[in-house]
Amino acid sequence: MGLVVQKYGGSSVADAASIRRVARRIVDTFNAGSQVAVVVSAMGDTTDELIDLAQQVSPKPPARELDMLLTAGERMSMALLAMAISDLGCEARSFTGSQAGVITDSAHGRARIIDVTPGRIQAALGDGAIPIVAGFQGVSQDTKDITTLGRGGSDTTAVALAAALQADVCEIYTDVDGIYSADPRIVPAARKLDRVTYEEMLELAASGAKVLHLRCVEYARRFNLPIHVRSSFSTNEGTWVVSDARDEDDVEQPIISGVAHDLNDAKVTVVGVPDRPGEAAAIFGTLADAGINLDMIVQNVSVADTGLTDVTFTCPRGDGERALSALRAVQATIGFADLRYDDAIAKVSLVGAGMRSHPGVSATFFRALADAGVNVEMISTSEIRISVVTRESQVTRAVGAVHTAFGLDSGSEAVVYGGTGR
Ligand code: ADP
Ligand code: ASP
Ligand code: MG
């Protein structure tokens, strides 16, 4: 019956009763004749609580030590899950990321998987045991230190492991029934998608739809591995993330797959930049040296009589302070007048592969925002996405209005089974 990798997120293993419920589900799959390897996240909000705890001890904890601390969350749940499975009469063996052969680079807090050498997982499977792997963690190839893959990274552990084991499918179990046309926590009328292509899911994940970690989608696409996102609280069929190749019978592919929102960005404006060659290179070179990932960038037309312009960009809120201090350090050399920082923003994105060939999508999008009284501060686009920056306080209204304008509202209310959405 093949090999399946199942990943259970934090809300699915939030307490002892949930862990027992998940154990039952795994044993049922195993008893039905499949080989099963499991990846598990930390219980409930454990990772957030550990971060809070670290901050009480030190406002800027060393990245190596923070990773060591955070990986403890997944170690707890993997051992507890193995115990619960063994209580149901099956053999389960838990493994840390390092023991499971998850080799990463040494970028603490955002490590990339370089290779997966799952010898011990294969051996466990060969012995008829169920391996349980701690998600979100690995070991650095160079330093041999323990690393984490970034928030939400257990999804990527699961897909990378599934690819290395040549599994038939990677099942991602979470607290909603699948991937919806918007986050069901803010759009109750969101519609569950039966399938979504890697390409569209990449844009949705990059635009803030945290139901899947961006890198897990990149990985799945590279290995052409199907992902099935579904709820651990129901037996409903979820959403399949599959190859971009169009289905023969799928004549009517929807134009829009969904609306995503992101509250993790901040906006920085460099005010009064001399309008001459080399200034943008100096600004963005400084930010690159500080290791800051930028998203949107806008430069105003310069005011003719001053010869000065403003440059605005967005970056993750967590990098905001570093971006400001890096720029302040070169203010005199670059010669800009001032810096402005604003983190009360939201990014709202419309994603759909059909956008390529359907005119009028932007017109409907901006009309919907205007009618809802939502002000647009920045705009960026890709071939299959339109994103705007707006006020954080308007995000629910903005996403709801766009969702309705594209006819995505469903007749029923989406179920959110658990989790705090933290
Ligand atoms: P887990 O703990 O299982 O990894 P996450 O909290 O990371 O779960 O991801 C599931 C959550 O993602 C949902 O509860 C939902 O609020 C959010 N989400 C955001 N966008 C979407 C979307 N388009 N479809 C489904 N869920 C979404
Ligand atoms: N526990 C980690 C987090 O909260 C990893 C994950 O859940 O995927 O980000
Ligand atoms: Mg997640």
Side-chain angles (χ1 to χ4, degrees):
M1 282 266 224
L3 168 62
V4 47
V5 172
Q6 298 189 332
K7 177 258 171 177
Y8 292 90
S11 48
S12 299
V13 292
D15 51 30
S18 307
I19 291 175
R20 292 182 63 85
R21 183 173 52 80
V22 162
R24 177 84 261 163
R25 200 165 179 135
I26 294 166
V27 168
D28 286 348
T29 310
F30 180 82
N31 287 341
S34 293
Q35 282 193 306
V36 195
V38 176
V39 172
V40 72
S41 290
M43 295 168 68
D45 290 333
T46 301
T47 307
D48 291 286
E49 286 155 12
L50 290 172
I51 292 173
D52 291 348
L53 186 60
Q55 254 142 21
Q56 289 169 39
V57 172
S58 152
K60 278 203 182 130
R64 178 189 186 277
E65 302 312 325
L66 187 60
D67 271 0
M68 194 61 110
L69 177 71
L70 296 189
T71 53
E74 270 71 13
R75 285 180 83 130
M76 285 169 64
S77 44
M78 73 177 189
L80 290 166
L81 185 56
M83 292 173 197
I85 291 174
S86 123
D87 198 51
L88 295 174
C90 283
E91 193 198 342
R93 289 182 206 161
S94 65
F95 297 94
T96 64
S98 167
Q99 289 175 321
V102 181
I103 315 292
T104 71
D105 63 18
S106 55
H108 285 292
R110 55 188 160 88
R112 279 185 166 273
I113 296 178
I114 299 170
D115 196 12
V116 182
T117 48
R120 297 192 66 185
I121 307 303
Q122 280 155 330
L125 288 168
D127 293 345
I130 301 174
I132 315 287
V133 177
F136 169 64
Q137 54 181 271
V139 60
S140 160
Q141 191 170 44
D142 312 328
T143 62
K144 311 290 177 223
D145 283 330
I146 298 299
T147 54
T148 64
L149 310 180
R151 299 305 307 272
S154 296
D155 297 339
T156 299
T157 306
V159 170
L161 184 66
L165 294 173
Q166 296 182 312
D168 301 294
V169 57
C170 181
E171 294 183 332
I172 305 277
Y173 286 92
T174 184
D175 54 13
V176 287
D177 273 320
I179 299 162
Y180 282 77
S181 52
D183 185 344
R185 282 181 207 271
I186 74 160
V187 181
R191 179 186 296 270
K192 191 179 84 187
L193 310 176
D194 293 331
R195 42 169 277 161
V196 64
T197 63
Y198 295 126
E199 183 190 37
E200 289 167 307
M201 193 58 227
L202 278 173
E203 291 278 5
L204 286 169
S207 306
K210 69 165 183 165
V211 61
L212 284 181
H213 194 230
L214 175 60
R215 270 193 248 133
C216 103
V217 189
E218 289 171 350
Y219 227 100
R221 180 184 204 168
R222 178 149 35 108
F223 291 93
N224 202 20
L225 182 92
I227 303 179
H228 186 190
V229 179
R230 57 195 307 196
S231 168
S232 70
F233 299 81
S234 79
T235 51
N236 298 341
E237 177 85 1
T239 303
W240 285 86
V241 188
V242 289
S243 136
D244 304 349
R246 228 171 121 159
D247 204 324
E248 286 294 302
D249 336 311
D250 201 5
V251 198
E252 268 301 321
Q253 218 190 12
I255 302 172
I256 299 301
S257 50
V259 190
H261 70 282
D262 198 337
L263 301 179
N264 283 314
D265 281 351
K267 186 170 86 167
V268 177
T269 303
V270 191
V271 182
V273 182
D275 197 0
R276 58 176 181 236
E279 292 295 301
I283 291 172
F284 296 115
T286 302
L287 295 166
D289 292 344
I292 290 163
N293 264 323
L294 304 180
D295 183 13
M296 294 190 197
I297 300 174
V298 173
Q299 178 177 322
N300 286 349
V301 180
S302 73
V303 185
D305 51 350
T306 62
L308 297 177
T309 182
D310 292 349
V311 174
T312 304
F313 62 86
T314 62
C315 67
R317 281 183 198 176
D319 290 345
E321 226 169 89
R322 251 176 339 117
L324 292 179
S325 56
L327 287 172
R328 264 192 220 109
V330 295
Q331 180 165 5
T333 4
I334 298 183
F336 61 84
D338 200 4
L339 286 175
R340 284 202 200 116
Y341 180 74
D342 179 357
D343 63 8
I345 62 162
K347 184 170 74 171
V348 174
S349 304
L350 180 73
V351 173
M355 244 182 240
R356 279 198 191 96
S357 49
H358 283 79
V361 171
S362 316
T364 308
F365 179 70
F366 289 108
R367 172 52 47 209
L369 293 173
D371 290 347
V374 173
N375 190 42
V376 172
E377 300 176 21
M378 292 172 85
I379 303 172
S380 84
T381 60
S382 83
E383 234 187 317
I384 65 162
R385 173 184 53 79
I386 315 172
S387 302
V388 296
V389 165
T390 180
R391 289 293 92 202
E392 180 172 359
S393 57
Q394 293 193 308
V395 69
T396 305
R397 190 159 9 132
V399 175
V402 172
H403 196 266
T404 305
F406 283 93
L408 299 172
D409 290 356
S410 85
S412 55
E413 198 165 304
V415 185
V416 178
Y417 295 92
T420 59
R422 190 170 169 185

